[in-house]
Amino acid sequence: MSCVPKVLKLNNGMTIPTIGLGTYKSAENEVREAVKCAIEVGYRHIDTAWFYGNEKEIGSALSESFRNGTVKRQDIFMVTKLWNNFHDRKNVVPKLRESLCSLGLDYVDLFLVHWPFAFKEDGCTLPTSSSDYSDVDYLETWEGMEECVREGLAKSIGLSNFNEGQIERVLGHCRIKPVVNQVEVNPNNNQSGLIKFCKDRDIVVTAFCPLERIGKSREPGYPTATVLDPKVIEMGKKYNKTAAQVVLRYLLSLGITIIPKSVTRSRIVENFEIFDFDLSDDDICYLKSLNKNIRVSAMVQYKDHKHYPF
Ligand SMILES: NC(=O)c1ccc[n+]([C@@H]2O[C@H](COP(=O)([O-])OP(=O)(O)OC[C@H]3O[C@@H](n4cnc5c(N)ncnc54)[C@H](OP(=O)(O)O)[C@@H]3O)[C@@H](O)[C@H]2O)c1
């Protein structure tokens, strides 16, 4: 059996666990139990964001897990993200301090710029008019991200939803390299080009929406989720695995990290049990053939923003 690694090395020498728990839309009353359950099961990587509004509940789950001795702080790889209203350099460190306060932590392992485009600081978090856009350049934001590392508030910093040209611009100006680009990756959008581009620059890709956000909001016209594809369900039976496990195992084989979200105990367990089987070349070939370059999450309403990435 060809093993997939449980951690990947980052360009600053740290390691990132290849599977983490996603928490977008994990409601206040559910996320605390979900995080505690994930830690019990063996997850050591938790993904959140200021925008998700659940950092406080996640912090409460973490402090309980530290208190009862399930894990130590240094065992957890905690990720949060800077929202688009706070891209001015002066806001970056204070916003991370705010997230740390909610999480009850002294530092995060990874702090990401959530999107390359900015909104006005005093406007809505999801503006409906371009008059609420800000044209602050993400290079300025990146300087603030670097301050977070210098102040010891983030062990590492990275990007999310950045395209190749935007990554190249950051690399051309940075003092501290981004370690990760978190983007959507799933069988419908396997990002083979961007993954290669990032690997060539020693940047790890983290896959969001790995399960294509099954059952939840997506861009109009989105095809059927891969986990509902009868061929993938059949494939799973052969390995005594579910279609979701097949999809997650396929994504790990791309040399990336994945952050499936669930608030359901049985699924949190299921999504973690993907290290004990291997997919045949034919099955990988079929999963590859499903690529359509279609996104679940494209934020198309901001396509007129000068820093829109897609
Ligand atoms: N950087 C960004 O811009 C960005 C954007 C989107 C997402 N993210 C991050 O990536 C994470 C994952 O993406 P996502 O939450 O959008 O989508 P996802 O992980 O692809 O899908 C989550 C959905 O799948 C269900 N699910 C989970 N495991 C399952 C299984 N084994 N079988 C059947 N259904 C299952 C969950 O249901 P239950 O919860 O009800 O079990 C939930 O409805 C997010 O939570 C967030 O942390 C980042």
Side-chain angles (χ1 to χ4, degrees), residues 3 13 25 58-59 62-63 82 95 101 107 112 118 190 195 201 211 216 227 242 248 250 254 270 276 298:
C3 291
K25 304 245 182 208
I58 293 175
L62 290 176
S63 72
L82 177 79
K95 281 321 261 190
C101 184
Y107 68 90
L112 301 175
N190 71 22
I195 292 174
R201 285 152 187 82
L211 298 172
K216 300 283 173 205
V227 296
T242 64
L248 296 174
Y250 162 65
L254 304 178
E270 176 185 334
D276 58 351

Side-chain angles (χ1 to χ4, degrees), residues 99-124:
S99 287
L100 288 171
C101 184
S102 303
L103 289 164
L105 299 176
D106 301 329
Y107 68 90
V108 287
D109 297 275
L110 178 59
F111 190 38
L112 301 175
V113 182
H114 208 145
W115 288 89
F117 50 82
F119 303 144
K120 282 190 179 147
E121 187 181 340
D122 50 3
C124 320

Side-chain angles (χ1 to χ4, degrees), residues 78 92-93 107-108 110 141 144 147 154 157 202 229 263 276 290:
M78 188 65 224
V92 182
V93 165
Y107 68 90
V108 287
L110 178 59
T141 313
E147 274 171 36
I157 48 179
D202 208 5
D229 178 329
V263 290
D276 58 351
L290 298 177

Side-chain angles (χ1 to χ4, degrees), residues 134 141 151 184 188 193 267 280:
S134 152
T141 313
E151 293 201 16
E184 176 174 338
N188 272 320
R267 289 173 177 165
S280 71

